[in-house]
Amino acid sequence: MKYKTAYGAVKRDLEAARERAETEYEARRKEALEKKPRLGEIEKKMGEIGLSLARMALAGDVNGINQARETSDKLKKERLALLTKIGMGEGFFAPVYSCSNCNDTGYITQLGGTSTACVCLKQRLIEEYYALSNVREVLMDENFGTFDVRLFSEKIDEKEGLSPLANMQTNYRIATEFVKNFDTEFQNLLLYGATGLGKTFLSNCIAKDLLDAGRTVLYLTVPRLCKVIEDSRFNRDFNSPPDEMLDAVDEVDLLVLDDLGAEVSTSITSASLFDIINQRLLTRKATVISTNLAPATLAKQYSERIVSRFLGNYQLIKFFGEDIRTKKKYGNLRI
């Protein structure tokens, strides 16, 4: 499955980066020791001092600790002087990992021996999910810069009391303000309306701007999310990698859920969807959801708990008008 493939690919990349850093370190170390053998003596002496400091700390030998630290400082200065002469820096004495938090392992060991996924692993997984779903390519075409007002009619819709163009201009403004105020205001959006009216397009606009701003964003269709949930629940074997995608669903700065209502709903997926929505509300993590279903239909298809979260915590944004996908396909632009 794709999310497990993503995990494996990311772990292989991290392992390769770690191996590359350590290989480069050994090459630098060998070159430096050949040019300045004294560096090896200093390295050995500093290792001995490190061990003695631990023993003296246990014994409470304050004077010994101070003397050892003074000797260590002198050795560091001598080491730096020698390295400078041969055009090297202090990086000679340790591998230079791409992530200094986890040393390219993907995990950080906490007190007590437990491990947690490093932020670098989470971000790489998110980027891999985007690559697997080709969403990044979509974002090159669907973003605020490619928004085309010519696709929307100026004709007033009698039922709505305004034109599709005016409606989309309002929705566009809400979306840009959502991005602008992302760091200062906790907001959630629920975009609803018939197929082909620009809901997914506007969601992609938001996603791209926040990705460009360095925020973590995960895009999923709700049917795919439900598939991941079911696979995690029923199809995992003992040797399967952890479900980082489900962790990401809870932790990313912005979660974009597209096509709500298109999934085959079960009691498990419905309960899991509620847990995801509720957890993100509790942790004040923003969510953008798009659906072809009107609020009244949502109330019939989903539990009262889920719908109450939408109505109470999401800004509902309505889309109406003609199918703009058809206009794009056949070039029927309003001039």
Side-chain angles (χ1 to χ4, degrees):
M1 283 164 287
K2 282 188 175 181
Y3 68 100
K4 293 183 179 179
T5 302
Y7 177 83
V10 169
K11 284 294 290 179
R12 287 192 294 273
D13 286 347
L14 284 170
E15 289 167 3
R18 182 178 175 82
E19 182 178 346
R20 184 166 56 251
E22 292 175 352
T23 300
E24 291 172 353
Y25 158 67
E26 289 298 337
R28 290 196 309 273
R29 182 175 182 277
K30 181 179 179 180
E31 180 185 353
L33 291 177
E34 288 175 352
K35 292 180 177 179
K36 295 290 181 181
R38 170 62 179 161
L39 287 168
E41 298 172 7
I42 294 173
E43 186 179 36
K44 181 179 178 181
K45 183 62 177 175
M46 290 186 68
E48 294 171 353
I49 290 174
L51 292 174
S52 67
L53 279 171
R55 290 194 296 268
M56 287 185 286
L58 290 173
D61 185 357
V62 177
N63 289 332
I65 289 173
N66 290 336
Q67 289 176 2
R69 285 177 175 169
E70 184 178 339
T71 302
S72 178
D73 289 341
K74 290 180 180 178
L75 289 171
K76 287 179 181 178
K77 290 179 180 178
E78 182 184 358
R79 180 179 67 185
L80 180 59
L82 290 171
L83 288 170
T84 301
K85 287 182 179 179
I86 57 176
M88 292 187 176
E90 288 286 350
F92 155 76
F93 286 94
V96 181
Y97 299 107
S98 60
C99 179
S100 59
N101 295 322
C102 69
N103 292 340
D104 292 343
T105 64
Y107 291 89
I108 298 174
T109 302
Q110 310 290 340
L111 292 175
T114 59
S115 296
T116 58
C118 181
V119 65
C120 77
L121 173 62
K122 296 175 183 178
Q123 185 59 47
R124 283 173 185 246
L125 281 166
I126 291 167
E127 291 171 356
E128 188 70 15
Y129 299 145
Y130 270 92
L132 286 171
S133 62
N134 295 320
V135 173
R136 283 199 181 276
E137 293 181 10
V138 172
L139 298 186
M140 297 299 293
D141 296 323
E142 298 190 0
N143 54 73
F144 288 124
T146 61
F147 178 77
D148 190 350
V149 294
R150 296 177 299 165
L151 293 169
F152 303 93
S153 172
E154 291 182 355
K155 183 179 179 180
I156 300 295
D157 184 298
E158 293 184 3
K159 181 180 177 181
E160 302 296 339
L162 74 163
S163 68
L165 174 60
N167 172 246
M168 193 59 181
Q169 287 174 328
T170 297
N171 295 346
Y172 179 91
R173 176 182 53 78
I174 292 171
T176 55
E177 288 180 354
F178 178 89
V179 172
K180 179 182 178 182
N181 301 325
F182 191 80
D183 291 331
T184 56
E185 294 182 21
F186 174 54
Q187 304 173 78
N188 302 285
L189 305 179
L190 192 151
L191 287 55
Y192 71 95
T195 300
L197 300 181
K199 302 184 301 296
T200 299
F201 183 97
L202 211 55
S203 297
N204 288 338
C205 291
I206 292 171
K208 183 178 188 304
D209 266 30
L210 289 175
L211 282 168
D212 290 346
R215 305 294 179 269
T216 54
V217 180
L218 180 60
Y219 169 94
L220 285 171
T221 64
V222 177
R224 184 178 177 201
L225 173 61
C226 290
K227 180 68 166 57
V228 171
I229 291 169
E230 289 179 348
D231 286 342
S232 175
R233 183 72 177 267
F234 299 112
N235 298 329
R236 283 197 68 194
D237 57 47
F238 182 77
N239 295 317
S240 294
D243 295 310
E244 263 76 14
M245 181 179 279
L246 292 180
D247 290 340
V249 164
D250 286 337
E251 296 173 5
V252 288
D253 297 327
L254 175 67
L255 175 65
V256 179
L257 294 179
D258 196 13
D259 220 5
L260 177 71
E263 75 279 7
V264 177
S265 182
T266 66
S267 59
I268 291 173
T269 56
S270 181
S272 298
L273 184 60
F274 169 79
D275 288 341
I276 290 167
I277 291 168
N278 195 54
Q279 176 64 19
R280 291 188 65 82
L281 288 173
L282 292 174
T283 56
R284 298 181 69 80
K285 297 281 190 179
T287 307
V288 172
I289 299 175
S290 66
T291 178
N292 295 339
L293 305 179
T297 307
L298 286 173
K300 295 177 182 178
Q301 184 161 330
Y302 294 96
S303 68
E304 182 180 346
R305 294 196 307 167
I306 292 179
V307 175
S308 67
R309 296 304 188 277
F310 290 153
L311 298 180
N313 300 279
Y314 283 66
Q315 182 175 357
L316 273 59
I317 304 176
K318 186 175 184 177
F319 289 69
F320 64 86
E322 301 174 71
D323 188 333
I324 61 172
R325 292 175 185 169
T326 302
K327 287 191 173 185
K328 284 184 177 181
K329 182 177 181 180
Y330 295 106
N332 184 22
L333 297 177
R334 179 184 58 78
I335 305 297

